[in-house]
Amino acid sequence: MVPPSTPHQEVGRDKQSIRAVARAARTAQLDKERVSKHIIDRVFGLPDYQSAGCVLWYVDVRTEARTRHALPDAVASEKKIVVPYCVDGELELFLLESMDELTEGMYGILEPSPSARDAAEKKVSVEDVDVILVPGLAFDPMGGRIGHGKGYYDKLLTRARSDCSLIGLAYECQMFEEIPMLRHDVSMDKVVTESNVYDGRGGRS
């Protein structure tokens, strides 16, 4: 944890440097589909995931660890599967019951179709979620995370239940020795890569 006296702008510069390195490493990752399947297989095997009744998945975009290949099986399971979409800088949650409910939105991101998301029965509160699968640019073995800097997930995660399991998904090349964290940053309970499951510090600091 970065000491409270550390200027935010100094930490920001450190984070920007990490973002640049992590983004390049993630882009250069070979065979993303195959490697991502190893990551997701590890996720499916986690006791946290197996015991969860409601799981928030992200739908991969650009060079993120892939999730689309696994979503159909997740939806077909007995679990309630939820995906996010963005409205005015905030993430809203949608109950996904069929892949046909997803359409390509802004920036080529797959998201719930506007016609489907308005139904009251499709809206899910983050307080109802047992496991959240979290994307990111960089992680450390203690669960520290850096996103793209927009804060979408940071705001969402602070509203999650204290017993909700936060699981970061990443390629091993996105792991750093230490991520600079501020008081408002949220650490992962676990970070899953193709070769490791790291037990993070967790908590909503």
Side-chain angles (χ1 to χ4, degrees), residues 5 8 20 27-28 34 36 43 49 54 74 96 107 111 122 139 147 151 153 164 183 186 203:
S5 59
H8 284 210
T27 299
R34 180 185 62 80
S36 295
V43 170
Y49 187 91
C54 180
L96 184 67
Y107 309 119
E111 58 186 19
K122 287 295 190 176
F139 295 89
Y153 270 91
C164 175
R183 284 176 177 259
V186 178

Side-chain angles (χ1 to χ4, degrees), residues 11-42:
V11 175
R13 284 196 296 270
D14 290 342
K15 285 188 174 182
Q16 285 302 98
S17 299
I18 293 173
R19 280 191 182 98
V21 174
R23 188 178 288 111
R26 195 173 72 175
T27 299
Q29 172 67 50
L30 299 176
D31 205 357
K32 292 181 178 65
E33 296 292 338
R34 180 185 62 80
V35 175
S36 295
K37 286 178 180 177
H38 287 304
I39 296 172
I40 298 301
D41 284 347
R42 287 181 178 275

Side-chain angles (χ1 to χ4, degrees), residues 151-178:
Y152 297 147
Y153 270 91
D154 293 319
K155 288 182 280 189
L156 178 75
L157 298 180
T158 58
R159 306 199 311 270
R161 297 195 322 264
S162 60
D163 63 339
C164 175
S165 183
L166 310 182
I167 303 176
L169 272 57
Y171 305 119
E172 190 68 33
C173 66
Q174 294 174 252
M175 298 299 297
F176 286 71
E177 182 177 354
E178 184 177 4

Side-chain angles (χ1 to χ4, degrees), residues 13 26 33 50 56 118 133 145 164 194:
R13 284 196 296 270
R26 195 173 72 175
E33 296 292 338
Q50 292 179 352
L56 171 57
D118 289 336
L133 304 183
R145 171 186 174 272
C164 175
E194 69 272 21

Side-chain angles (χ1 to χ4, degrees), residues 73-201:
D73 285 343
V75 169
S77 72
E78 295 181 354
K79 299 182 188 301
K80 181 184 293 185
I81 302 301
V82 181
V83 294
Y85 62 98
C86 189
V87 177
D88 298 328
E90 303 280 346
L91 290 181
E92 301 288 341
L93 306 186
F94 176 88
L95 175 62
L96 184 67
E97 298 174 285
S98 168
M99 295 300 289
D100 293 336
E101 294 174 316
L102 299 179
T103 59
E104 193 169 289
M106 191 177 295
Y107 309 119
I109 298 174
L110 274 182
E111 58 186 19
S113 64
S115 60
R117 67 177 67 159
D118 289 336
E121 65 271 16
K122 287 295 190 176
K123 298 180 185 296
V124 179
S125 169
V126 68
E127 287 86 359
D128 295 328
V129 178
D130 303 312
V131 168
I132 300 179
L133 304 183
V134 186
L137 269 177
F139 295 89
D140 68 27
M142 292 298 293
R145 171 186 174 272
I146 290 180
H148 290 276
K150 301 294 186 182
Y152 297 147
Y153 270 91
D154 293 319
K155 288 182 280 189
L156 178 75
L157 298 180
T158 58
R159 306 199 311 270
R161 297 195 322 264
S162 60
D163 63 339
C164 175
S165 183
L166 310 182
I167 303 176
L169 272 57
Y171 305 119
E172 190 68 33
C173 66
Q174 294 174 252
M175 298 299 297
F176 286 71
E177 182 177 354
E178 184 177 4
I179 297 294
M181 300 285 281
L182 295 172
R183 284 176 177 259
H184 64 269
D185 291 332
V186 178
S187 295
M188 303 293 99
D189 296 295
K190 289 182 172 60
V191 181
V192 180
T193 72
E194 69 272 21
S195 53
N196 287 292
V197 175
Y198 298 95
D199 288 320
R201 62 174 69 86

